[in-house]
Amino acid sequence: KAGVTQTPRYLIKTRGQQVTLSCSPISGHRSVSWYQQTPGQGLQFLFEYFSETQRNKGNFPGRFSGRQFSNSRSEMNVSTLELGDSALYLCASMVGSYNEQFFGPGTRLTVL
Amino acid sequence: QQQVKQSPQSLIVQKGGISIINCAYENTAFDYFPWYQQFPGKGPALLIAIRPDVSEKKEGRFTISFNKSAKQFSLHIMDSQPGDSATYFCAARGTQGGSEKLVFGKGTKLTVNP
């Protein structure tokens, strides 16, 4: 069974630009969560989508948004990029509850 | 605010030694406590998990000890090996605003010297 895939793996943007990251969950998994990982803050929850609906949201500004498609694939968008948005963005999928979340390898975003 | 505090930030252990990572939480409603292991360039992977009705869970060289009254739990890695060198995250599952959420500690970078 294929794992969680994320594209692209690396991304370099400049301040003010916007970026879209993609995540394909494990087949059959309907929940997709997004996390931001930085050395200082660790893993911080961005949002979770389940069956195309945002089910949960973390404490991030509105510049961070996401969506989920009918095939459970999810995208995350960050608008008006800031230097502080440089991070590893992780996507995780699960069947239903948080008994086991499977993480993708992440997208490394660098904002210059 | 739901928080999980993890210590130490970094840990260096000799091969064959015991690695111990500690976590503390505040929310007594947390009902599931997983540990994740992350290697460089990879996403975190579930290592072992425990529920609050159990005081200890062991899987191979990895053991979680859980102290409900103290609101603390810890990961013990016995006979630590260089291949265990990774970043470890503790986490706790809770409900906020009617939805479940995993809250993570900030991670511990473990280095096992040969």
Side-chain angles (χ1 to χ4, degrees):
Chain A
K1 199 181 227 184
V4 178
T5 58
Q6 292 187 246
T7 57
R9 292 293 311 278
Y10 303 91
L11 209 48
I12 299 175
K13 293 285 187 180
T14 57
R15 279 182 298 172
Q17 287 187 309
Q18 75 163 20
V19 67
T20 299
L21 313 180
S22 180
C23 170
S24 292
I26 293 172
S27 177
H29 287 195
R30 297 166 64 191
S31 167
V32 173
S33 295
W34 288 89
Y35 294 85
Q36 181 193 67
Q37 184 177 8
T38 57
Q41 297 299 318
L43 278 156
Q44 291 190 289
F45 173 76
L46 281 155
F47 30 65
E48 182 210 356
Y49 286 87
F50 181 82
S51 294
E52 301 179 67
T53 301
Q54 187 179 85
R55 184 160 73 170
N56 210 340
K57 189 177 187 301
N59 298 320
F60 278 80
R63 301 186 296 108
F64 293 81
S65 63
R67 58 177 175 167
Q68 186 179 33
F69 302 95
S70 58
N71 62 358
S72 293
R73 190 178 71 85
S74 177
E75 285 182 349
M76 186 192 115
N77 185 275
V78 188
S79 62
T80 319
L81 284 166
E82 301 177 359
L83 294 177
D85 296 333
S86 294
L88 180 68
Y89 289 89
L90 292 160
C91 163
S93 77
M94 59 185 181
V95 175
S97 179
Y98 281 96
N99 285 340
E100 185 164 4
Q101 250 183 343
F102 295 86
F103 283 85
T107 294
R108 172 73 61 184
L109 172 65
T110 301
V111 182
L112 302 175
Chain B
Q1 185 173 349
Q2 298 185 356
Q3 283 189 346
V4 177
K5 294 182 180 178
Q6 184 172 348
S7 63
Q9 269 189 313
S10 62
L11 182 61
I12 300 175
V13 174
Q14 291 299 118
K15 179 182 174 182
I18 302 174
S19 303
I20 302 174
I21 304 170
N22 300 300
C23 285
Y25 63 96
E26 298 169 354
N27 188 345
T28 56
F30 285 146
D31 62 357
Y32 173 72
F33 301 86
W35 284 88
Y36 283 82
Q37 179 189 54
Q38 184 179 28
F39 293 106
K42 304 283 187 181
L46 180 66
L47 184 63
I48 187 173
I50 197 168
R51 297 188 186 276
D53 54 347
V54 176
S55 61
E56 185 175 282
K57 183 174 181 180
K58 184 176 181 179
E59 289 186 2
R61 296 184 294 109
F62 300 89
T63 300
I64 299 179
S65 296
F66 188 84
N67 187 327
K68 190 173 181 178
S69 60
K71 293 186 285 186
Q72 295 175 346
F73 58 110
S74 59
L75 175 69
H76 292 65
I77 306 174
M78 310 300 287
D79 186 26
S80 298
Q81 299 296 313
D84 297 330
S85 297
T87 299
Y88 292 82
F89 293 93
C90 63
R93 181 181 69 186
T95 301
Q96 187 177 38
S99 299
E100 285 186 340
K101 188 190 294 188
L102 261 185
V103 180
F104 285 86
K106 292 192 176 182
T108 297
K109 184 175 181 180
L110 171 65
T111 302
V112 181
N113 289 329

